[in-house]
Amino acid sequence: MTQTTPPDLFGATDEAQLHPDLTRSGEGEDSQPQSTEIIEVLISVPLNTAFSYKAPQSWQLEVGDLVTVPFGKQAKIGVVWRKNVEAQVDIAKVKPVTDRLACPPIPASVVRLIDFVAGYYMAALGGIVSAALQEPGIRTALKKVEHFGASNDL
């Protein structure tokens, strides 16, 4: 007897249907590993865009991981939103990710929920991420990294 996966809240039966970047790195990749990859990071600012950053391939960042990135003259905490993207600007101008936070990633279900809420309410992704990062477990982890200089004014 085969068991089928029931549709989730959004009617999808497969994680890749809603957020294709949630697949683990190395699945179906035939290319040579590079020393850096371009990722998009959502920062809790009221904008409907993710920002491109360079990350070391050895960090094996996944969608939902929390990272520290330079943003203007500050360091901000952000969420890895997309992986292996093409930079929208000259690759030499793309800034590197400063650090990967030692806390659990945002669950895939929350990543899908952020996408859904932003689209349904026509709200900026950055604002929705800011609200999602208020979850008590994440908030506690972010307070622990505050002394490293990253701004977590969510």
Side-chain angles (χ1 to χ4, degrees):
M1 177 196 264
T2 60
Q3 184 177 6
T4 59
T5 306
D8 67 0
L9 176 66
F10 310 111
T13 57
D14 184 12
E15 300 241 346
Q17 285 179 308
L18 285 172
H19 209 288
D21 298 321
L22 289 175
T23 57
R24 292 283 172 204
S25 62
E27 291 181 7
E29 294 178 8
D30 294 329
S31 62
Q32 293 288 335
Q34 300 174 355
S35 59
T36 62
E37 65 178 331
I38 303 297
I39 61 171
E40 287 186 350
V41 176
L42 274 181
I43 302 168
S44 59
V45 293
L47 297 173
N48 197 31
T49 187
F51 297 91
S52 297
Y53 289 92
K54 288 187 252 186
Q57 197 78 355
S58 62
W59 286 9
Q60 298 179 345
L61 291 173
E62 298 295 337
V63 172
D65 283 338
L66 296 172
V67 294
T68 305
V69 294
F71 191 73
K73 295 181 180 183
Q74 304 174 10
K76 290 277 197 181
I77 293 173
V79 178
V80 175
W81 201 245
R82 306 248 187 269
K83 290 181 51 171
N84 302 319
V85 296
E86 291 187 29
Q88 301 298 320
V89 296
D90 181 20
I91 192 77
K93 294 181 180 181
V94 177
K95 295 179 180 181
V97 172
T98 309
D99 194 17
R100 177 185 191 169
L101 301 184
C103 60
I106 304 292
S109 59
V110 175
V111 170
R112 289 192 315 269
L113 181 63
I114 291 168
D115 264 338
F116 173 78
V117 170
Y120 187 82
Y121 291 105
M122 294 183 284
L125 281 168
I128 305 301
V129 163
S130 179
L133 292 179
Q134 298 300 323
E135 191 273 326
I138 296 170
R139 195 73 187 142
T140 301
L142 293 179
K143 285 182 182 177
K144 290 180 183 177
V145 299
E146 185 176 29
H147 68 278
F148 291 114
S151 172
N152 64 357
D153 54 342
L154 306 171

